[in-house]
Amino acid sequence: MSEKSNKKRNYTIAKIVVALCVVLCVVLTVFEMGFTYRMLKAAEVDGTEYSVAEYNWLYTNSLYEVYNNYYQSYGELAAYFINPQMPLDEQQYSEEETWADFIKDYTDSSLINITTLYNEAVANGFELEQRYYDNIDAEWEAMGVTAKANGVSANGYAEASYGKGVNEEVFRSMYERYYTAYTYAEQVRDSEEATSAEIDEYYSEHAEDFDSVSYKYYYIDGSAEEGEDAEATMKAAKDEAAEIVAGTKEVTFSEYDYSVKANISSLYADWLFDEARVAGDKEVFESETAVYVVEFVEKNDLHYNTVDVRHVLVAPEDSSNETAWQTALADAEKYKAEWEEMGATEEAFAEIAAKYSVDSSAVNGGLYENVFKGQMVDEFEDWCFDSARKAGDSDIVKTSYGYHIMYFCGEAEEFYSYAVEESIKDERYSEYVTALADEAELTELFGIRFGGKHYN
């Protein structure tokens, strides 16, 4: 081969290498921008393919749904079970699974449910109400405000919050699919009412799920410190308990209202639910290291009316800061005044709730229907179930969550009928969703290896 040919060949190779480098740089840039995650498919369910970005959106929602369930039960201690700020593959869910394994399985199940329910909704001509689109608009707008405060774009903040590839289009489409699926499912759930006979029969079979008691208890530590006589320490605890029962020693009891049997210690649950119990009964119960004095208050009547109420939650930015509480109160008073200037109607209150409330009920104009005793925090319920309460009443109530601007809509269904029928509907709903899911199959595609990795 001639020297001239070699030079030409080398020049051609050099051009190809440069071109490939340019293409590679473009690909890497696009990949970094998230475009690839929106194109690369992670999973397929019943013919519907989901991108890595869409999978990441659901994975993040699944994680925080699980975390919030723990948080509702354990507060800040939820982080001891699962900490979203730490790599999930370094946290054990069980001996066999990490939290990364569990959340992936949870996400896959949710993806099957969303897909099958969404397809059913479309097939049956179901249309999502405008208020859900308004809620998506509000969520994206709020994300934009937060993003701007942090000096990033809304899309950049969405990607940082939900995972690689998530942008406004993914955010909106997945929320629309999610709302459509579960709103349709709720419609199916509520479409068939239970008869009185069905309600009575179901209650008789599941009475322990509905019957509740109010009681008080006092805890006495009977564990011995190192070097102490264990028997003597326990005897002192028992003696103290005997004094309390006899009335010779006064203590402050912890109070629990509307507790079902499953939520009460097995040490004294049967005693509390014994038909022979009368108000004021006291009994002492022992564990290996503690003594409990339990006082029966009452077995709660299921036959009372629930209530419908609207509220606007104004939460302090920092619940440990008194100035933040004062600011929250000032805002609550301002919003209430704005509502009064609008005519102080229920419709106007719903507008104020949708505009200002930080509670999830904002999407429904702050409405909670069929509120029952034991469902809300004490201060909220005390206001709702005040015997003098009447439709149209409004006030500002403080709870540990913040200031609630309250609006009393009126009494609703009897708790007994409502609670039992809701359980029947829940059972039917579960059977319906499970039947659909059992007929579906999730197929993992190449991109699944990138799904959820932002938490690992």
Side-chain angles (χ1 to χ4, degrees), residues 1-7 9:
M1 185 178 289
S2 68
E3 183 179 346
K4 185 175 180 181
S5 295
N6 280 334
K7 285 183 178 179
R9 178 173 176 273

Side-chain angles (χ1 to χ4, degrees), residues 3-291:
E3 183 179 346
K4 185 175 180 181
S5 295
N6 280 334
K7 285 183 178 179
K8 184 175 181 182
R9 178 173 176 273
N10 290 340
Y11 177 68
T12 302
I13 291 173
K15 287 200 296 182
I16 292 172
V17 170
V18 170
L20 286 173
C21 286
V22 170
V23 170
L24 182 60
C25 287
V26 171
V27 169
L28 289 174
T29 301
V30 169
F31 190 82
E32 190 64 26
M33 290 171 59
F35 176 77
T36 302
Y37 289 99
R38 292 190 289 276
M39 297 297 293
L40 196 61
K41 303 304 180 184
E44 180 267 328
V45 180
D46 280 1
T48 301
E49 293 184 338
Y50 292 91
S51 68
V52 176
E54 291 169 329
Y55 189 89
N56 281 342
W57 179 92
L58 185 57
Y59 188 97
T60 299
N61 275 283
S62 296
L63 169 60
Y64 280 97
E65 184 175 321
V66 170
Y67 174 77
N68 285 334
N69 287 338
Y70 276 90
Y71 189 86
Q72 288 177 7
S73 298
Y74 303 103
E76 299 295 338
L77 295 177
Y80 286 98
F81 296 92
I82 176 172
N83 188 342
Q85 307 307 317
M86 293 175 59
L88 297 179
D89 55 3
E90 296 178 9
Q91 303 178 62
Q92 288 298 127
Y93 169 72
S94 66
E95 290 185 7
E96 297 80 20
E97 281 189 309
T98 65
W99 272 106
D101 299 325
F102 179 85
I103 297 300
K104 181 185 180 302
D105 291 343
Y106 192 96
T107 303
D108 290 351
S109 295
S110 296
L111 197 60
I112 290 173
N113 287 340
I114 289 172
T115 306
T116 54
L117 289 169
Y118 180 85
N119 289 344
E120 282 285 298
V122 172
N124 287 284
F126 176 81
E127 293 186 5
L128 194 62
E129 294 180 20
Q130 181 59 44
R131 61 192 174 101
Y132 291 99
Y133 291 103
D134 293 341
N135 189 54
I136 295 172
D137 289 341
E139 289 283 345
W140 183 256
E141 183 179 341
M143 183 168 288
V145 171
T146 304
K148 185 176 181 180
N150 286 277
V152 297
S153 68
N155 282 333
Y157 190 77
E159 188 168 76
S161 300
Y162 289 93
K164 290 290 187 181
V166 178
N167 62 0
E168 181 177 2
E169 181 181 358
V170 172
F171 180 91
R172 288 182 177 278
S173 66
M174 287 301 290
Y175 256 125
E176 179 183 355
R177 183 171 286 267
Y178 176 90
Y179 280 140
T180 299
Y182 288 112
T183 304
Y184 172 75
E186 283 293 306
Q187 184 183 86
V188 172
R189 173 191 178 278
D190 295 334
S191 61
E192 185 179 348
E193 295 184 356
T195 65
S196 297
E198 288 174 327
I199 289 173
D200 291 339
E201 181 181 359
Y202 192 90
Y203 169 76
S204 66
E205 295 173 357
H206 304 85
E208 285 190 357
D209 295 336
F210 303 101
D211 290 343
S212 67
V213 295
S214 294
Y215 69 100
K216 302 176 182 179
Y217 90 94
Y218 185 75
Y219 167 83
I220 306 169
D221 187 1
S223 60
E225 298 288 342
E226 186 176 351
E228 290 183 341
D229 185 320
E231 289 187 11
T233 302
M234 195 62 174
K235 182 179 183 305
K238 293 177 184 177
D239 289 343
E240 183 180 355
E243 291 180 57
I244 295 169
V245 172
T248 56
K249 180 174 182 178
E250 292 187 3
V251 294
T252 302
F253 281 75
S254 296
E255 298 184 19
Y256 288 88
D257 295 326
Y258 308 104
S259 296
V260 295
K261 195 171 186 178
N263 295 335
I264 299 174
S265 170
S266 58
L267 272 177
Y268 42 83
D270 286 340
W271 181 83
L272 283 169
F273 280 89
D274 190 314
E275 291 297 329
R277 288 286 73 73
V278 295
D281 281 356
K282 291 188 181 72
E283 188 60 83
V284 177
F285 298 89
E286 302 173 20
S287 68
E288 291 184 3
T289 58
V291 177

Side-chain angles (χ1 to χ4, degrees), residues 72 304 366 421:
Q72 288 177 7
Y304 67 88
E421 184 175 33

Side-chain angles (χ1 to χ4, degrees), residues 330-347:
D331 286 341
E333 291 172 339
K334 181 175 68 175
Y335 303 154
K336 187 171 185 292
E338 182 178 337
W339 164 65
E340 290 167 346
E341 290 174 3
M342 295 169 64
T345 63
E346 183 175 349
E347 291 75 15

Side-chain angles (χ1 to χ4, degrees), residues 422-439:
E422 285 297 293
S423 292
I424 293 172
K425 288 181 177 180
D426 284 343
E427 198 170 275
R428 291 173 179 170
Y429 169 85
S430 180
E431 291 171 354
Y432 170 70
V433 173
T434 300
L436 287 177
D438 285 346
E439 296 178 1

